[in-house]
Amino acid sequence: MEKEFEIGNYVTFKTHPLLYNMYIKGDGKYVPPIMLIKEILFENKEKKEFDEATGEKIADREKFICVYFDDNKSEFVEVHLYKSQLSGIEYLKIARVNEKKSESESTSLISEVLAYDKMSYEYGKIVYFKTKKIEALKKRESSKIDVSTKKIDGEDTEIENEEKKITRHYVVNYITPDFVVSGFKKETYNDLFYGNGKPKRKVSTELIKVKWFNPFQQKFTEQFLPIEFFIDFNPFIKINS
């Protein structure tokens, strides 16, 4: 059964390598972020889903406004993506700190973050973006083949050893700072349904303002985001994985 996404759900672009392997292979900069759903848009029946000339599908009726943190600019980014371009994170394979555990145990981080409770508002509280622990613990694996030189018929010849050296390290792009809650507002909307009563969009009605220090702009930044995006406890306290 196809998963129905809701506000605050985790999603990622379907190309995320950890949907298919325990470790990232190749260049880590091409790994897409883990995103949170800010808004769901339901296109009306006039939305063009299929190309008139070829009959091939070119769009979906369901579109999502997703948010991730760009750590190169220290700012949140919104992106519009169709449902068929996204995957939930249920099948992400994350290698935990203790790699001596079995693979089934090492993927338990996903169950952990999916079970986060909705936080309660409190002015001045320290909060954390829900994707922080996942982005911090993903790993890249690379292998190196030892090559040695041996004299054969008086000439130096490279001999490739059969044993490979495997190295692993964390890939911590999209990591977020800690935030301080600096405001709250309730939003009301009058355009959530079409004239026929069918849903037009889904949004969060509770937004919190969070503040953080932006080292690139050398100033403090504030932004309103759905309360569903945050947790109010340090996710690394239970890092005995």
Side-chain angles (χ1 to χ4, degrees), residues 149-179:
T149 302
K150 185 177 180 181
K151 289 278 187 183
I152 298 179
D153 297 330
E155 295 184 1
D156 288 337
T157 304
E158 288 188 347
I159 304 296
E160 190 174 287
N161 296 329
E162 292 184 3
E163 187 175 345
K164 293 182 180 180
K165 290 185 178 179
I166 295 175
T167 59
R168 293 166 182 157
H169 64 271
Y170 291 109
V171 179
V172 292
N173 46 355
Y174 314 118
I175 200 73
T176 53
D178 301 341
F179 303 93

Side-chain angles (χ1 to χ4, degrees), residues 4-56:
E4 291 298 320
F5 294 126
E6 299 294 340
I7 302 300
N9 279 180
Y10 305 84
V11 290
T12 189
F13 203 55
K14 277 175 143 180
T15 61
H16 200 296
L18 296 184
L19 290 169
Y20 312 100
N21 294 288
M22 181 67 72
Y23 298 99
I24 297 163
K25 314 283 179 147
D27 198 331
K29 72 173 178 286
Y30 291 110
V31 176
I34 307 299
M35 301 172 284
L36 299 176
I37 296 175
K38 181 181 180 185
E39 188 170 341
I40 305 171
L41 307 174
F42 302 96
E43 307 279 12
N44 61 31
K45 62 181 180 180
E46 283 151 35
K47 169 69 179 178
K48 186 177 177 182
E49 286 187 84
F50 297 90
D51 180 74
E52 293 176 0
T54 65
E56 297 293 344

